[in-house]
Amino acid sequence: MSEQVLYRKHRPRDFGEVVGQDHVTGAIVNAFKMGRVAHAYLFSGPRGVGKTSMARLIAKSLNCEKKGKRDVPCNECAMCTDFNEGRALDVVEIDAASNRGIDDIRALRDGVRFTPARGAYKTYIIDEVHQLTKEAFNAL
């Protein structure tokens, strides 16, 4: 039996499961309904408020196969299942606290050229971006 960290085990599966961030989820859900999702989002706040979870929900919603037919994400299609099980290849999550150098950002930039493996969009989530070096941030 493999063990899983609590925040991954109990991560929200859709925007309705996000607790205490109604102002954020409302704005993002409305952006999806209007078809005006931005190319980048910046989340800030103290530890544990759901910044990374919200970013992962946006990535999941962008790639949901039933987008437009129901509220996003549907949690039923193959892409949503891959996201829920942690197998989504089109989400690249980087911990900038550990990968903070210019070489790490250059490697990230080199990978941007490739199209998404399965979904419609490739999403990059850069966690702890404030810990990048000055040179790495300029390269980004």
Side-chain angles (χ1 to χ4, degrees):
M1 174 184 262
S2 68
E3 296 189 23
Q4 194 175 27
V5 183
L6 281 177
Y7 69 87
R8 291 197 182 207
K9 184 176 183 181
H10 299 291
R11 181 169 270 160
R13 295 167 48 99
D14 60 37
F15 293 110
E17 291 182 6
V18 178
V19 177
Q21 300 294 336
D22 295 334
H23 58 291
V24 178
T25 57
I28 292 172
V29 167
N30 286 337
F32 274 103
K33 286 180 182 176
M34 293 174 23
R36 298 188 54 129
V37 180
H39 75 282
Y41 286 94
L42 175 66
F43 296 108
S44 66
R47 194 172 140 221
V49 295
K51 300 177 292 288
T52 304
S53 294
M54 189 66 67
R56 292 182 66 82
L57 281 174
I58 292 172
K60 181 171 149 182
S61 298
L62 283 170
N63 288 304
C64 180
E65 294 169 356
K66 295 184 179 181
K67 184 171 37 180
K69 297 178 184 172
R70 304 175 51 170
D71 289 338
V72 290
C74 71
N75 286 314
E76 296 172 358
C77 67
M79 286 300 298
C80 286
T81 303
D82 285 351
F83 271 88
N84 291 339
E85 294 174 2
R87 297 182 308 197
L89 297 175
D90 295 328
V91 174
V92 180
E93 191 170 342
I94 300 148
D95 180 22
S98 303
N99 306 303
R100 56 189 306 254
I102 192 165
D103 292 331
D104 298 314
I105 297 303
R106 284 182 180 151
L108 174 100
R109 281 188 1 202
D110 290 341
V112 170
R113 287 184 270 166
F114 302 109
T115 59
R118 186 167 173 200
Y121 297 94
K122 195 172 194 179
T123 308
Y124 291 87
I125 300 172
I126 305 174
D127 202 9
E128 303 291 337
V129 74
H130 66 278
Q131 293 192 17
L132 288 174
T133 63
K134 180 183 175 184
E135 294 78 14
F137 194 81
N138 288 339
L140 183 63

